[in-house]
Amino acid sequence: MPINKQQVRTALTHVMHPDMDKDLVTLDMIEDLIVQDKFITFTIDLPEKDAKLEATLKDKCEEAIRKFVAEDAVLDINTAVNISKFSNNEDKGEFPGQGHRKKKEQEEDEEEMLSGVKNIIAVASGKGGVGKSTVAVNLACGLARTGAKVGLLDTDIYGPSIPTMLDTHERPNITTRKKLIPMEKYGIRFLSMGLLVDPDQAMIWRGPMVTSAVKQFLQEVEWGELDYLVLDLPPGTGDIQLTLVQTVPLTGAVIVSTPQNVALDDARKGVAMFKKVNVPVLGMVENMAYFIPEDMPDKKYYIFGKHGARNLAERMGTNFLGEVPLEQKVRESGDDGKPIVLGDLDCKSAEAFVEISNNVIQQLAIRNQQQAPTEKIDIKIRP
């Protein structure tokens, strides 16, 4: 049964303000409530900045929603200071002492986000349709073949494809600490919005909702200890990409492109974006590099152009990680939910993905030896 706004508001009437004998709904402190399937987001208005109060109200709101609405709800609870909204209330004796609380902000002993993850790898592309998700899934499985602990996060909220490519559609469970538990298959832990919503339902979300969901996949998931966390990004250089570089320190990025100019133009922008935000580009992958007919295995047909991504990588001073041929087996393996890299290694595409995985491991080792860890960035918009 779908969640509706009234259910959420009713649940929040059980959340009492610690200084007042009234609930948050009665006090008109809940704003911008949006409900989409299992995703719930809203803002708690406060008269002034108070870190302790924010944390208390967020915890109580989450507890109420999970108790009275849905235990597996995906929550994004925000706070905002709205001085004008409460200025009259203080004159009436409501919110006593709010204007006089000049407490020092205290540091909270929160667990560092993704503290158990050694390397965070973003797999990106300038445009859609170049096989980025195919590369991300096979890279993750290729890394897992080496015995490494690997996670895969599908951050393409509008078009999640990882559940199909791994043939898993069950909803993830939740820990006693109210964190999502990633699904596991082929030796990797993975999570996708496609596991949380009806596959036939369109995700008609604005940018803030999408970025909030991505943050939750990083903050409220029990990823545990991982050698590599592979992030399958949506195409382009938009909200999600900026959210990621502001939220977690990416170790490096892998750019995927096909050989033709229309794809290379956008791939160039992807490389430039990561360099601009100081995220090392580990290299480029050329997908659909050439076609080999099954009845003529010695023939190569460069349908989309020859060595486009390889040449672009050289011009931009980045590494070329490998090329993946255009083969029917790759499409079939994606549709069947078993990545090609886990199949017959005599297949050219499987060989290519093994090589790409090994090259990524090598470039990560060089990057970690020669460069300082990436830091989250603070993007400020100047007039």
Side-chain angles (χ1 to χ4, degrees), residues 184-232:
E184 291 196 33
K185 196 164 186 179
Y186 305 132
I188 65 172
R189 303 169 198 170
F190 68 96
L191 193 62
S192 168
M193 182 59 77
L195 300 172
L196 300 172
V197 299
D198 186 330
D200 296 324
Q201 182 175 342
M203 302 298 293
I204 310 173
W205 288 3
R206 293 186 183 275
M209 291 180 66
V210 173
T211 55
S212 293
V214 171
K215 284 182 179 179
Q216 280 197 280
F217 283 157
L218 297 168
Q219 295 170 331
E220 299 180 22
V221 175
E222 202 70 50
W223 287 109
E225 299 289 327
L226 295 175
D227 296 303
Y228 308 100
L229 177 60
V230 178
L231 308 181
D232 179 20

mmCIF file of all heavy atoms in Angstrom, residues 184-232:
data_model
loop_
_atom_site.group_PDB
_atom_site.id
_atom_site.type_symbol
_atom_site.label_atom_id
_atom_site.label_comp_id
_atom_site.label_asym_id
_atom_site.label_seq_id
_atom_site.Cartn_x
_atom_site.Cartn_y
_atom_site.Cartn_z
ATOM 1 N N GLU A 184 23.606 -8.819 -2.029
ATOM 2 C CA GLU A 184 24.884 -9.451 -2.385
ATOM 3 C C GLU A 184 24.682 -10.475 -3.498
ATOM 4 O O GLU A 184 23.729 -11.251 -3.465
ATOM 5 C CB GLU A 184 25.508 -10.139 -1.162
ATOM 6 C CG GLU A 184 25.986 -9.162 -0.108
ATOM 7 C CD GLU A 184 26.941 -9.801 0.890
ATOM 8 O OE1 GLU A 184 27.707 -10.703 0.490
ATOM 9 O OE2 GLU A 184 26.903 -9.392 2.066
ATOM 10 N N LYS A 185 25.575 -10.413 -4.481
ATOM 11 C CA LYS A 185 25.561 -11.396 -5.566
ATOM 12 C C LYS A 185 26.909 -11.374 -6.268
ATOM 13 O O LYS A 185 27.527 -10.318 -6.399
ATOM 14 C CB LYS A 185 24.438 -11.091 -6.564
ATOM 15 C CG LYS A 185 24.120 -12.267 -7.485
ATOM 16 C CD LYS A 185 22.790 -12.077 -8.175
ATOM 17 C CE LYS A 185 22.418 -13.319 -8.966
ATOM 18 N NZ LYS A 185 21.103 -13.153 -9.636
ATOM 19 N N TYR A 186 27.353 -12.546 -6.699
ATOM 20 C CA TYR A 186 28.626 -12.686 -7.413
ATOM 21 C C TYR A 186 29.803 -12.105 -6.624
ATOM 22 O O TYR A 186 30.769 -11.601 -7.190
ATOM 23 C CB TYR A 186 28.554 -12.023 -8.783
ATOM 24 C CG TYR A 186 27.427 -12.513 -9.652
ATOM 25 C CD1 TYR A 186 26.601 -11.609 -10.310
ATOM 26 C CD2 TYR A 186 27.192 -13.877 -9.833
ATOM 27 C CE1 TYR A 186 25.557 -12.054 -11.125
ATOM 28 C CE2 TYR A 186 26.145 -14.327 -10.638
ATOM 29 C CZ TYR A 186 25.339 -13.411 -11.275
ATOM 30 O OH TYR A 186 24.308 -13.852 -12.077
ATOM 31 N N GLY A 187 29.682 -12.092 -5.307
ATOM 32 C CA GLY A 187 30.782 -11.608 -4.487
ATOM 33 C C GLY A 187 30.836 -10.106 -4.308
ATOM 34 O O GLY A 187 31.812 -9.582 -3.766
ATOM 35 N N ILE A 188 29.797 -9.378 -4.737
ATOM 36 C CA ILE A 188 29.773 -7.925 -4.548
ATOM 37 C C ILE A 188 28.514 -7.515 -3.780
ATOM 38 O O ILE A 188 27.479 -8.176 -3.857
ATOM 39 C CB ILE A 188 29.842 -7.149 -5.885
ATOM 40 C CG1 ILE A 188 28.606 -7.413 -6.732
ATOM 41 C CG2 ILE A 188 31.109 -7.487 -6.650
ATOM 42 C CD1 ILE A 188 28.515 -6.544 -7.963
ATOM 43 N N ARG A 189 28.630 -6.433 -3.026
ATOM 44 C CA ARG A 189 27.472 -5.837 -2.354
ATOM 45 C C ARG A 189 26.981 -4.696 -3.240
ATOM 46 O O ARG A 189 27.795 -3.904 -3.726
ATOM 47 C CB ARG A 189 27.870 -5.294 -0.985
ATOM 48 C CG ARG A 189 28.480 -6.339 -0.075
ATOM 49 C CD ARG A 189 29.090 -5.689 1.161
ATOM 50 N NE ARG A 189 30.024 -6.608 1.821
ATOM 51 C CZ ARG A 189 30.840 -6.266 2.790
ATOM 52 N NH1 ARG A 189 30.864 -4.999 3.219
ATOM 53 N NH2 ARG A 189 31.660 -7.150 3.325
ATOM 54 N N PHE A 190 25.674 -4.598 -3.411
ATOM 55 C CA PHE A 190 25.182 -3.547 -4.313
ATOM 56 C C PHE A 190 23.852 -3.001 -3.840
ATOM 57 O O PHE A 190 23.116 -3.643 -3.091
ATOM 58 C CB PHE A 190 25.068 -4.076 -5.751
ATOM 59 C CG PHE A 190 24.000 -5.121 -5.948
ATOM 60 C CD1 PHE A 190 22.738 -4.772 -6.406
ATOM 61 C CD2 PHE A 190 24.261 -6.453 -5.682
ATOM 62 C CE1 PHE A 190 21.759 -5.732 -6.584
ATOM 63 C CE2 PHE A 190 23.291 -7.425 -5.858
ATOM 64 C CZ PHE A 190 22.031 -7.067 -6.320
ATOM 65 N N LEU A 191 23.570 -1.785 -4.299
ATOM 66 C CA LEU A 191 22.318 -1.117 -3.959
ATOM 67 C C LEU A 191 21.916 -0.214 -5.110
ATOM 68 O O LEU A 191 22.767 0.378 -5.787
ATOM 69 C CB LEU A 191 22.477 -0.297 -2.678
ATOM 70 C CG LEU A 191 21.191 0.206 -2.032
ATOM 71 C CD1 LEU A 191 20.307 -0.959 -1.599
ATOM 72 C CD2 LEU A 191 21.512 1.069 -0.815
ATOM 73 N N SER A 192 20.602 -0.101 -5.313
ATOM 74 C CA SER A 192 20.078 0.711 -6.410
ATOM 75 C C SER A 192 18.684 1.182 -6.047
ATOM 76 O O SER A 192 17.945 0.487 -5.337
ATOM 77 C CB SER A 192 20.030 -0.110 -7.705
ATOM 78 O OG SER A 192 19.283 0.548 -8.710
ATOM 79 N N MET A 193 18.303 2.358 -6.524
ATOM 80 C CA MET A 193 16.943 2.832 -6.344
ATOM 81 C C MET A 193 15.950 1.866 -6.993
ATOM 82 O O MET A 193 14.792 1.759 -6.576
ATOM 83 C CB MET A 193 16.784 4.236 -6.937
ATOM 84 C CG MET A 193 15.384 4.832 -6.757
ATOM 85 S SD MET A 193 14.873 4.974 -5.030
ATOM 86 C CE MET A 193 15.808 6.421 -4.530
ATOM 87 N N GLY A 194 16.416 1.137 -8.006
ATOM 88 C CA GLY A 194 15.561 0.162 -8.663
ATOM 89 C C GLY A 194 15.110 -0.959 -7.741
ATOM 90 O O GLY A 194 14.153 -1.670 -8.054
ATOM 91 N N LEU A 195 15.771 -1.133 -6.586
ATOM 92 C CA LEU A 195 15.371 -2.138 -5.608
ATOM 93 C C LEU A 195 14.323 -1.622 -4.636
ATOM 94 O O LEU A 195 13.741 -2.398 -3.879
ATOM 95 C CB LEU A 195 16.590 -2.614 -4.807
ATOM 96 C CG LEU A 195 17.733 -3.252 -5.601
ATOM 97 C CD1 LEU A 195 18.941 -3.481 -4.692
ATOM 98 C CD2 LEU A 195 17.286 -4.561 -6.237
ATOM 99 N N LEU A 196 14.086 -0.300 -4.647
ATOM 100 C CA LEU A 196 13.215 0.314 -3.643
ATOM 101 C C LEU A 196 11.886 0.798 -4.195
ATOM 102 O O LEU A 196 10.982 1.131 -3.434
ATOM 103 C CB LEU A 196 13.944 1.494 -2.982
ATOM 104 C CG LEU A 196 15.247 1.144 -2.258
ATOM 105 C CD1 LEU A 196 15.951 2.411 -1.816
ATOM 106 C CD2 LEU A 196 14.966 0.247 -1.065
ATOM 107 N N VAL A 197 11.765 0.878 -5.516
ATOM 108 C CA VAL A 197 10.528 1.391 -6.104
ATOM 109 C C VAL A 197 9.980 0.390 -7.115
ATOM 110 O O VAL A 197 10.686 -0.508 -7.586
ATOM 111 C CB VAL A 197 10.759 2.749 -6.807
ATOM 112 C CG1 VAL A 197 11.234 3.794 -5.821
ATOM 113 C CG2 VAL A 197 11.749 2.608 -7.954
ATOM 114 N N ASP A 198 8.724 0.562 -7.442
ATOM 115 C CA ASP A 198 8.079 -0.278 -8.450
ATOM 116 C C ASP A 198 8.794 -0.080 -9.784
ATOM 117 O O ASP A 198 8.959 1.053 -10.244
ATOM 118 C CB ASP A 198 6.607 0.146 -8.576
ATOM 119 C CG ASP A 198 5.805 -0.763 -9.489
ATOM 120 O OD1 ASP A 198 6.396 -1.328 -10.431
ATOM 121 O OD2 ASP A 198 4.593 -0.895 -9.261
ATOM 122 N N PRO A 199 9.238 -1.171 -10.444
ATOM 123 C CA PRO A 199 9.975 -1.020 -11.709
ATOM 124 C C PRO A 199 9.169 -0.356 -12.831
ATOM 125 O O PRO A 199 9.752 0.167 -13.775
ATOM 126 C CB PRO A 199 10.349 -2.466 -12.082
ATOM 127 C CG PRO A 199 9.417 -3.325 -11.291
ATOM 128 C CD PRO A 199 9.126 -2.579 -10.036
ATOM 129 N N ASP A 200 7.839 -0.353 -12.701
ATOM 130 C CA ASP A 200 7.004 0.271 -13.730
ATOM 131 C C ASP A 200 6.695 1.735 -13.422
ATOM 132 O O ASP A 200 6.012 2.401 -14.188
ATOM 133 C CB ASP A 200 5.681 -0.498 -13.872
ATOM 134 C CG ASP A 200 5.895 -1.917 -14.365
ATOM 135 O OD1 ASP A 200 6.810 -2.114 -15.192
ATOM 136 O OD2 ASP A 200 5.161 -2.819 -13.925
ATOM 137 N N GLN A 201 7.191 2.221 -12.296
ATOM 138 C CA GLN A 201 6.890 3.583 -11.875
ATOM 139 C C GLN A 201 7.994 4.542 -12.300
ATOM 140 O O GLN A 201 9.178 4.284 -12.072
ATOM 141 C CB GLN A 201 6.733 3.641 -10.360
ATOM 142 C CG GLN A 201 6.370 5.036 -9.833
ATOM 143 C CD GLN A 201 6.112 5.001 -8.341
ATOM 144 O OE1 GLN A 201 5.887 3.947 -7.762
ATOM 145 N NE2 GLN A 201 6.161 6.159 -7.700
ATOM 146 N N ALA A 202 7.619 5.644 -12.919
ATOM 147 C CA ALA A 202 8.593 6.655 -13.333
ATOM 148 C C ALA A 202 9.014 7.490 -12.131
ATOM 149 O O ALA A 202 8.205 7.821 -11.274
ATOM 150 C CB ALA A 202 7.993 7.560 -14.407
ATOM 151 N N MET A 203 10.300 7.815 -12.074
ATOM 152 C CA MET A 203 10.831 8.637 -10.986
ATOM 153 C C MET A 203 10.739 10.107 -11.409
ATOM 154 O O MET A 203 11.656 10.654 -12.010
ATOM 155 C CB MET A 203 12.277 8.258 -10.696
ATOM 156 C CG MET A 203 12.462 6.786 -10.322
ATOM 157 S SD MET A 203 11.575 6.345 -8.832
ATOM 158 C CE MET A 203 12.489 7.292 -7.631
ATOM 159 N N ILE A 204 9.613 10.728 -11.085
ATOM 160 C CA ILE A 204 9.396 12.126 -11.475
ATOM 161 C C ILE A 204 9.810 13.002 -10.303
ATOM 162 O O ILE A 204 8.991 13.509 -9.548
ATOM 163 C CB ILE A 204 7.922 12.358 -11.877
ATOM 164 C CG1 ILE A 204 7.487 11.294 -12.890
ATOM 165 C CG2 ILE A 204 7.737 13.747 -12.477
ATOM 166 C CD1 ILE A 204 6.013 11.335 -13.220
ATOM 167 N N TRP A 205 11.122 13.156 -10.156
ATOM 168 C CA TRP A 205 11.680 13.875 -9.017
ATOM 169 C C TRP A 205 12.462 15.091 -9.482
ATOM 170 O O TRP A 205 13.129 15.066 -10.508
ATOM 171 C CB TRP A 205 12.633 12.977 -8.226
ATOM 172 C CG TRP A 205 11.969 11.904 -7.443
ATOM 173 C CD1 TRP A 205 10.637 11.598 -7.406
ATOM 174 C CD2 TRP A 205 12.615 10.983 -6.560
ATOM 175 N NE1 TRP A 205 10.417 10.545 -6.568
ATOM 176 C CE2 TRP A 205 11.610 10.146 -6.026
ATOM 177 C CE3 TRP A 205 13.931 10.792 -6.172
ATOM 178 C CZ2 TRP A 205 11.885 9.131 -5.133
ATOM 179 C CZ3 TRP A 205 14.215 9.779 -5.277
ATOM 180 C CH2 TRP A 205 13.203 8.957 -4.758
ATOM 181 N N ARG A 206 12.399 16.134 -8.655
ATOM 182 C CA ARG A 206 13.260 17.288 -8.892
ATOM 183 C C ARG A 206 14.668 17.003 -8.366
ATOM 184 O O ARG A 206 14.886 16.081 -7.587
ATOM 185 C CB ARG A 206 12.685 18.533 -8.201
ATOM 186 C CG ARG A 206 11.367 19.011 -8.792
ATOM 187 C CD ARG A 206 10.951 20.318 -8.156
ATOM 188 N NE ARG A 206 9.661 20.769 -8.644
ATOM 189 C CZ ARG A 206 9.487 21.468 -9.758
ATOM 190 N NH1 ARG A 206 10.537 21.773 -10.494
ATOM 191 N NH2 ARG A 206 8.290 21.854 -10.131
ATOM 192 N N GLY A 207 15.604 17.861 -8.776
ATOM 193 C CA GLY A 207 17.001 17.669 -8.410
ATOM 194 C C GLY A 207 17.262 17.459 -6.931
ATOM 195 O O GLY A 207 17.994 16.540 -6.549
ATOM 196 N N PRO A 208 16.692 18.280 -6.014
ATOM 197 C CA PRO A 208 16.974 18.110 -4.587
ATOM 198 C C PRO A 208 16.578 16.735 -4.055
ATOM 199 O O PRO A 208 17.262 16.187 -3.194
ATOM 200 C CB PRO A 208 16.132 19.221 -3.938
ATOM 201 C CG PRO A 208 16.026 20.265 -4.997
ATOM 202 C CD PRO A 208 15.937 19.514 -6.290
ATOM 203 N N MET A 209 15.481 16.174 -4.548
ATOM 204 C CA MET A 209 15.068 14.846 -4.105
ATOM 205 C C MET A 209 16.062 13.790 -4.555
ATOM 206 O O MET A 209 16.393 12.856 -3.819
ATOM 207 C CB MET A 209 13.677 14.521 -4.646
ATOM 208 C CG MET A 209 12.560 15.333 -4.034
ATOM 209 S SD MET A 209 10.964 14.883 -4.717
ATOM 210 C CE MET A 209 10.784 13.204 -4.133
ATOM 211 N N VAL A 210 16.553 13.931 -5.777
ATOM 212 C CA VAL A 210 17.503 12.964 -6.320
ATOM 213 C C VAL A 210 18.812 13.000 -5.541
ATOM 214 O O VAL A 210 19.348 11.962 -5.142
ATOM 215 C CB VAL A 210 17.761 13.241 -7.815
ATOM 216 C CG1 VAL A 210 18.866 12.344 -8.348
ATOM 217 C CG2 VAL A 210 16.490 13.026 -8.619
ATOM 218 N N THR A 211 19.327 14.204 -5.310
ATOM 219 C CA THR A 211 20.589 14.310 -4.575
ATOM 220 C C THR A 211 20.436 13.840 -3.135
ATOM 221 O O THR A 211 21.362 13.256 -2.564
ATOM 222 C CB THR A 211 21.118 15.750 -4.597
ATOM 223 O OG1 THR A 211 20.108 16.651 -4.101
ATOM 224 C CG2 THR A 211 21.478 16.174 -6.007
ATOM 225 N N SER A 212 19.267 14.048 -2.545
ATOM 226 C CA SER A 212 19.023 13.564 -1.188
ATOM 227 C C SER A 212 19.048 12.040 -1.148
ATOM 228 O O SER A 212 19.592 11.439 -0.207
ATOM 229 C CB SER A 212 17.665 14.066 -0.684
ATOM 230 O OG SER A 212 17.675 15.459 -0.514
ATOM 231 N N ALA A 213 18.463 11.410 -2.161
ATOM 232 C CA ALA A 213 18.462 9.945 -2.217
ATOM 233 C C ALA A 213 19.882 9.410 -2.337
ATOM 234 O O ALA A 213 20.252 8.427 -1.683
ATOM 235 C CB ALA A 213 17.606 9.466 -3.387
ATOM 236 N N VAL A 214 20.698 10.060 -3.159
ATOM 237 C CA VAL A 214 22.083 9.626 -3.337
ATOM 238 C C VAL A 214 22.850 9.760 -2.018
ATOM 239 O O VAL A 214 23.614 8.859 -1.629
ATOM 240 C CB VAL A 214 22.776 10.436 -4.450
ATOM 241 C CG1 VAL A 214 24.268 10.136 -4.487
ATOM 242 C CG2 VAL A 214 22.146 10.111 -5.794
ATOM 243 N N LYS A 215 22.636 10.867 -1.312
ATOM 244 C CA LYS A 215 23.310 11.046 -0.016
ATOM 245 C C LYS A 215 22.929 9.942 0.955
ATOM 246 O O LYS A 215 23.750 9.443 1.709
ATOM 247 C CB LYS A 215 22.943 12.411 0.580
ATOM 248 C CG LYS A 215 23.654 13.587 -0.076
ATOM 249 C CD LYS A 215 23.269 14.883 0.623
ATOM 250 C CE LYS A 215 23.980 16.074 0.021
ATOM 251 N NZ LYS A 215 23.583 17.339 0.676
ATOM 252 N N GLN A 216 21.649 9.553 0.931
ATOM 253 C CA GLN A 216 21.213 8.503 1.841
ATOM 254 C C GLN A 216 21.864 7.169 1.513
ATOM 255 O O GLN A 216 22.168 6.378 2.405
ATOM 256 C CB GLN A 216 19.692 8.364 1.788
ATOM 257 C CG GLN A 216 18.986 9.423 2.615
ATOM 258 C CD GLN A 216 17.552 9.033 2.884
ATOM 259 O OE1 GLN A 216 16.715 9.210 2.024
ATOM 260 N NE2 GLN A 216 17.283 8.508 4.053
ATOM 261 N N PHE A 217 22.064 6.896 0.216
ATOM 262 C CA PHE A 217 22.724 5.652 -0.174
ATOM 263 C C PHE A 217 24.164 5.603 0.337
ATOM 264 O O PHE A 217 24.740 4.529 0.491
ATOM 265 C CB PHE A 217 22.727 5.505 -1.695
ATOM 266 C CG PHE A 217 21.393 5.063 -2.254
ATOM 267 C CD1 PHE A 217 21.068 5.321 -3.566
ATOM 268 C CD2 PHE A 217 20.485 4.387 -1.478
ATOM 269 C CE1 PHE A 217 19.849 4.909 -4.095
ATOM 270 C CE2 PHE A 217 19.264 3.969 -1.984
ATOM 271 C CZ PHE A 217 18.948 4.231 -3.290
ATOM 272 N N LEU A 218 24.738 6.757 0.591
ATOM 273 C CA LEU A 218 26.098 6.815 1.116
ATOM 274 C C LEU A 218 26.113 6.846 2.644
ATOM 275 O O LEU A 218 26.964 6.238 3.281
ATOM 276 C CB LEU A 218 26.812 8.053 0.570
ATOM 277 C CG LEU A 218 27.006 8.083 -0.953
ATOM 278 C CD1 LEU A 218 27.452 9.473 -1.391
ATOM 279 C CD2 LEU A 218 28.010 7.039 -1.395
ATOM 280 N N GLN A 219 25.138 7.545 3.244
ATOM 281 C CA GLN A 219 25.147 7.765 4.684
ATOM 282 C C GLN A 219 24.411 6.686 5.470
ATOM 283 O O GLN A 219 24.799 6.361 6.587
ATOM 284 C CB GLN A 219 24.513 9.123 5.009
ATOM 285 C CG GLN A 219 25.297 10.306 4.480
ATOM 286 C CD GLN A 219 24.529 11.605 4.596
ATOM 287 O OE1 GLN A 219 23.299 11.614 4.553
ATOM 288 N NE2 GLN A 219 25.243 12.705 4.731
ATOM 289 N N GLU A 220 23.349 6.146 4.902
ATOM 290 C CA GLU A 220 22.455 5.274 5.672
ATOM 291 C C GLU A 220 22.422 3.858 5.116
ATOM 292 O O GLU A 220 21.379 3.217 5.063
ATOM 293 C CB GLU A 220 21.052 5.877 5.705
ATOM 294 C CG GLU A 220 21.031 7.249 6.376
ATOM 295 C CD GLU A 220 19.648 7.859 6.417
ATOM 296 O OE1 GLU A 220 18.658 7.108 6.328
ATOM 297 O OE2 GLU A 220 19.550 9.093 6.528
ATOM 298 N N VAL A 221 23.575 3.384 4.685
ATOM 299 C CA VAL A 221 23.706 2.019 4.175
ATOM 300 C C VAL A 221 24.862 1.344 4.903
ATOM 301 O O VAL A 221 25.910 1.947 5.116
ATOM 302 C CB VAL A 221 23.953 2.013 2.648
ATOM 303 C CG1 VAL A 221 24.199 0.595 2.151
ATOM 304 C CG2 VAL A 221 22.763 2.622 1.919
ATOM 305 N N GLU A 222 24.665 0.107 5.282
ATOM 306 C CA GLU A 222 25.693 -0.653 6.005
ATOM 307 C C GLU A 222 26.658 -1.276 5.003
ATOM 308 O O GLU A 222 26.612 -2.479 4.728
ATOM 309 C CB GLU A 222 25.009 -1.744 6.839
ATOM 310 C CG GLU A 222 25.831 -2.253 7.999
ATOM 311 C CD GLU A 222 25.978 -1.235 9.117
ATOM 312 O OE1 GLU A 222 24.984 -0.665 9.578
ATOM 313 O OE2 GLU A 222 27.142 -1.011 9.522
ATOM 314 N N TRP A 223 27.553 -0.446 4.443
ATOM 315 C CA TRP A 223 28.487 -0.943 3.428
ATOM 316 C C TRP A 223 29.579 -1.819 4.039
ATOM 317 O O TRP A 223 30.100 -2.720 3.386
ATOM 318 C CB TRP A 223 29.122 0.222 2.665
ATOM 319 C CG TRP A 223 28.199 0.892 1.711
ATOM 320 C CD1 TRP A 223 27.639 2.131 1.824
ATOM 321 C CD2 TRP A 223 27.703 0.356 0.475
ATOM 322 N NE1 TRP A 223 26.825 2.397 0.749
ATOM 323 C CE2 TRP A 223 26.851 1.332 -0.095
ATOM 324 C CE3 TRP A 223 27.887 -0.852 -0.199
ATOM 325 C CZ2 TRP A 223 26.189 1.131 -1.304
ATOM 326 C CZ3 TRP A 223 27.233 -1.054 -1.402
ATOM 327 C CH2 TRP A 223 26.390 -0.077 -1.936
ATOM 328 N N GLY A 224 29.956 -1.549 5.276
ATOM 329 C CA GLY A 224 30.986 -2.353 5.923
ATOM 330 C C GLY A 224 32.366 -2.084 5.356
ATOM 331 O O GLY A 224 32.645 -1.022 4.787
ATOM 332 N N GLU A 225 33.248 -3.077 5.505
ATOM 333 C CA GLU A 225 34.629 -2.955 5.035
ATOM 334 C C GLU A 225 34.698 -3.325 3.547
ATOM 335 O O GLU A 225 34.276 -4.408 3.146
ATOM 336 C CB GLU A 225 35.545 -3.889 5.819
ATOM 337 C CG GLU A 225 35.585 -3.616 7.316
ATOM 338 C CD GLU A 225 36.320 -2.314 7.636
ATOM 339 O OE1 GLU A 225 37.273 -1.987 6.895
ATOM 340 O OE2 GLU A 225 35.947 -1.650 8.610
ATOM 341 N N LEU A 226 35.197 -2.412 2.720
ATOM 342 C CA LEU A 226 35.323 -2.651 1.285
ATOM 343 C C LEU A 226 36.694 -2.195 0.794
ATOM 344 O O LEU A 226 37.216 -1.173 1.246
ATOM 345 C CB LEU A 226 34.243 -1.883 0.501
ATOM 346 C CG LEU A 226 32.776 -2.273 0.702
ATOM 347 C CD1 LEU A 226 31.882 -1.314 -0.069
ATOM 348 C CD2 LEU A 226 32.525 -3.708 0.264
ATOM 349 N N ASP A 227 37.239 -2.955 -0.141
ATOM 350 C CA ASP A 227 38.451 -2.504 -0.822
ATOM 351 C C ASP A 227 38.102 -1.485 -1.906
ATOM 352 O O ASP A 227 38.856 -0.538 -2.134
ATOM 353 C CB ASP A 227 39.178 -3.704 -1.442
ATOM 354 C CG ASP A 227 39.672 -4.685 -0.389
ATOM 355 O OD1 ASP A 227 40.428 -4.264 0.495
ATOM 356 O OD2 ASP A 227 39.283 -5.880 -0.455
ATOM 357 N N TYR A 228 36.950 -1.717 -2.551
ATOM 358 C CA TYR A 228 36.522 -0.821 -3.631
ATOM 359 C C TYR A 228 35.008 -0.626 -3.556
ATOM 360 O O TYR A 228 34.263 -1.586 -3.365
ATOM 361 C CB TYR A 228 36.850 -1.411 -5.006
ATOM 362 C CG TYR A 228 38.280 -1.862 -5.186
ATOM 363 C CD1 TYR A 228 38.614 -3.214 -5.080
ATOM 364 C CD2 TYR A 228 39.301 -0.953 -5.470
ATOM 365 C CE1 TYR A 228 39.926 -3.644 -5.242
ATOM 366 C CE2 TYR A 228 40.608 -1.371 -5.630
ATOM 367 C CZ TYR A 228 40.916 -2.730 -5.511
ATOM 368 O OH TYR A 228 42.215 -3.148 -5.671
ATOM 369 N N LEU A 229 34.576 0.623 -3.727
ATOM 370 C CA LEU A 229 33.160 0.927 -3.926
ATOM 371 C C LEU A 229 33.044 1.591 -5.289
ATOM 372 O O LEU A 229 33.578 2.684 -5.510
ATOM 373 C CB LEU A 229 32.623 1.858 -2.837
ATOM 374 C CG LEU A 229 31.158 2.294 -3.018
ATOM 375 C CD1 LEU A 229 30.222 1.097 -3.024
ATOM 376 C CD2 LEU A 229 30.751 3.287 -1.923
ATOM 377 N N VAL A 230 32.375 0.920 -6.221
ATOM 378 C CA VAL A 230 32.211 1.431 -7.580
ATOM 379 C C VAL A 230 30.882 2.174 -7.664
ATOM 380 O O VAL A 230 29.827 1.629 -7.308
ATOM 381 C CB VAL A 230 32.239 0.279 -8.610
ATOM 382 C CG1 VAL A 230 32.008 0.820 -10.019
ATOM 383 C CG2 VAL A 230 33.567 -0.475 -8.535
ATOM 384 N N LEU A 231 30.909 3.418 -8.099
ATOM 385 C CA LEU A 231 29.705 4.234 -8.249
ATOM 386 C C LEU A 231 29.338 4.334 -9.722
ATOM 387 O O LEU A 231 30.115 4.855 -10.525
ATOM 388 C CB LEU A 231 29.931 5.638 -7.681
ATOM 389 C CG LEU A 231 30.477 5.741 -6.254
ATOM 390 C CD1 LEU A 231 30.614 7.206 -5.858
ATOM 391 C CD2 LEU A 231 29.578 5.006 -5.269
ATOM 392 N N ASP A 232 28.176 3.824 -10.085
ATOM 393 C CA ASP A 232 27.673 3.945 -11.452
ATOM 394 C C ASP A 232 26.907 5.253 -11.549
ATOM 395 O O ASP A 232 25.770 5.361 -11.086
ATOM 396 C CB ASP A 232 26.777 2.752 -11.785
ATOM 397 C CG ASP A 232 26.205 2.826 -13.192
ATOM 398 O OD1 ASP A 232 26.775 3.565 -14.025
ATOM 399 O OD2 ASP A 232 25.192 2.157 -13.466
#
